């Protein structure tokens, strides 16, 4: 069974003891409701050979008032069983007041890479993520922290803040875990009806088609126009964005000439899905 830690002091004590034994520390920040995507992060953390801490904290500041904070799935017993089975040494489950004590007045804002995509659709989101991730990194001070490529803009944002704030921790990316039909695993997939779940994998199909076309020299404008039509035909009634951006700064590109990503956020009924795939230029 992992040690259950609910205070910053307790977390720091555990980390200090491991360090005194010469062990490295890997952190996997999560909001719980763990699925195979999270467990891939945990396995990658464990592969470092030191000690692994998983944080479970549903961070209120990354939800807008009209978003699903209250409804966000909370499955603590199930999460702890999965983490015990995976051999995790410690689970950090801070109460909200340990992260945001009375009087808390600091926000970490990352400019630039947060401006478009999710940042445009959900203006509050990255301030909340950047603030809580900065706190978790500073509370734990791990050697490495692991983030999924599924939330690609979040990954780029965390890399930026760790570099900008000289947080001595490596940020490691872990590839997206998909269901057999291609749907990226996400806690929000639980909200899909049977019919929506049938349509959902078409998002990955369209992104993959776009990545191939872009790799063969199609312009972003053409790939996006065709991709949009394919998504609409498939039943995605609302598209928040469908974009082709360079992989590092997330700036839109006209044509793919270096590492890039196709990224999308779409709606099926009341459920918002995001996904992205890499694109490499031909030859
Ligand atoms: O990706 C998530 O689950 C969250 O955004 C994170 C990184 C744990 C911060 O709350």
């Amino acid at each position: 069974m992992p040690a259950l830690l609910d205070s910053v002091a307790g977390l720091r004590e555990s980390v200090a003891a491991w360090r005194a034994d010469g062990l490295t520390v890997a952190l996997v920040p999560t909001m719980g409701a763990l699925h195979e995507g999270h467990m891939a992060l945990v396995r990658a953390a464990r592969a470092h050979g030191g000690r692994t801490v998983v944080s479970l904290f549903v961070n209120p500041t990354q939800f807008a008032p009209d978003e699903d904070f209250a409804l966000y799935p909370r499955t603590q017993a199930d999460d702890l069983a999965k983490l015990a089975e995976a051999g995790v040494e410690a689970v950090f489950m801070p109460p909200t007041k340990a992260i945001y004590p009375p009087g808390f007045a600091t926000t970490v804002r990352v400019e630039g890479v947060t401006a478009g995509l999710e940042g445009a659709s959900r203006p509050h989101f990255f301030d909340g993520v950047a603030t809580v991730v900065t706190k978790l990194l500073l509370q734990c001070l791990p050697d490495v922290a692991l983030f999924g490529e599924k939330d690609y803009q979040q990954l780029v944002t965390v890399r930026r803040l760790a570099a900008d704030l000289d947080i001595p921790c490596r940020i490691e990316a872990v590839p997206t875990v998909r269901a057999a039909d291609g749907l990226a695993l996400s806690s929000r997939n639980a909200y899909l009806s049977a019919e929506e779940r049938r349509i959902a994998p078409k998002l990955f199909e369209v992104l993959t088609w776009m990545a191939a076309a872009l790799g063969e020299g199609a312009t972003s404008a053409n790939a996006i126009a065709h991709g949009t039509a394919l998504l609409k035909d498939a039943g995605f009634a609302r598209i928040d964005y469908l974009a082709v951006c360079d992989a590092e700064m997330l700036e839109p590109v006209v044509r793919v000439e270096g590492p890039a990503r196709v990224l999308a956020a779409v709606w099926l009924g009341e459920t918002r899905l995001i996904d992205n795939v890499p694109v490499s230029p031909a030859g």
Side-chain angles (χ1 to χ4, degrees):
M1 193 63 190
L4 304 184
L5 308 171
D6 62 4
S7 71
V8 177
L11 173 65
R12 288 195 168 139
E13 221 172 89
S14 294
V15 170
W18 295 330
R19 292 217 180 280
D21 287 341
L23 295 163
T24 58
V25 179
L27 171 69
V28 180
T30 81
M31 297 207 297
L34 302 181
H35 52 61
E36 259 312 295
H38 298 107
M39 298 319 287
L41 299 178
V42 171
R43 282 191 292 275
R46 300 255 305 136
H48 285 278
R51 296 290 183 246
T52 298
V53 181
V54 175
S55 62
L56 302 181
F57 179 67
V58 185
N59 175 34
T61 63
Q62 67 191 75
F63 293 80
D66 63 331
E67 288 182 345
D68 53 358
F69 174 70
L71 296 178
Y72 196 83
R74 285 159 174 86
T75 56
Q76 188 173 302
D78 194 45
D79 293 347
L80 291 178
K82 285 180 178 154
L83 296 174
E85 198 186 328
V88 161
E89 284 80 14
V91 179
F92 181 46
M93 299 185 300
T96 303
K97 65 176 186 314
I99 299 288
Y100 301 114
F104 186 85
T106 300
T107 297
V108 177
R109 171 164 303 155
V110 179
E111 306 281 358
V113 295
T114 62
L117 310 169
E118 289 301 291
S121 303
R122 306 172 67 197
H124 60 280
F125 176 69
F126 284 114
D127 284 1
V129 169
T131 303
V132 79
V133 170
T134 300
K135 290 204 58 147
L136 291 168
L137 293 179
L138 293 174
Q139 289 166 346
C140 183
L141 282 180
D143 297 276
V144 59
L146 298 97
F147 292 85
E149 286 186 344
K150 153 94 177 11
D151 297 298
Y152 192 80
Q153 192 176 13
Q154 169 172 279
L155 167 68
V156 171
T157 302
V158 170
R159 279 202 175 123
R160 186 76 263 155
L161 74 83
D164 288 355
L165 300 177
D166 300 313
I167 300 177
C169 162
R170 207 152 31 80
I171 304 301
E172 187 173 305
V174 176
T176 303
V177 179
R178 298 181 181 281
D181 59 10
L183 177 64
L185 299 193
S186 161
S187 310
R188 291 192 169 106
N189 293 351
Y191 305 147
L192 296 170
S193 69
E195 174 58 6
E196 289 162 354
R197 177 63 188 79
R198 190 188 62 73
I199 297 169
K202 300 215 162 37
L203 173 58
F204 177 58
E205 237 174 83
V206 172
L207 296 185
T208 304
W209 175 86
M210 287 176 68
L214 290 156
E216 284 161 17
T219 62
S220 298
N222 279 340
I224 290 169
H226 201 96
T228 302
L230 290 172
L231 287 172
K232 291 239 154 100
D233 281 355
F236 298 95
R238 235 170 98 197
I239 300 174
D240 277 355
Y241 59 82
L242 177 61
V244 184
C245 297
D246 79 273
E248 200 179 328
M249 297 307 298
L250 294 183
E251 276 163 9
V253 294
V254 173
R255 206 180 273 278
V256 172
E257 282 163 356
R261 244 36 227 191
V262 189
L263 308 102
V266 296
W267 289 83
L268 274 177
E270 297 301 302
T271 308
R272 187 172 184 274
L273 300 177
I274 63 169
D275 201 353
N276 69 90
V277 297
V279 193
S280 310

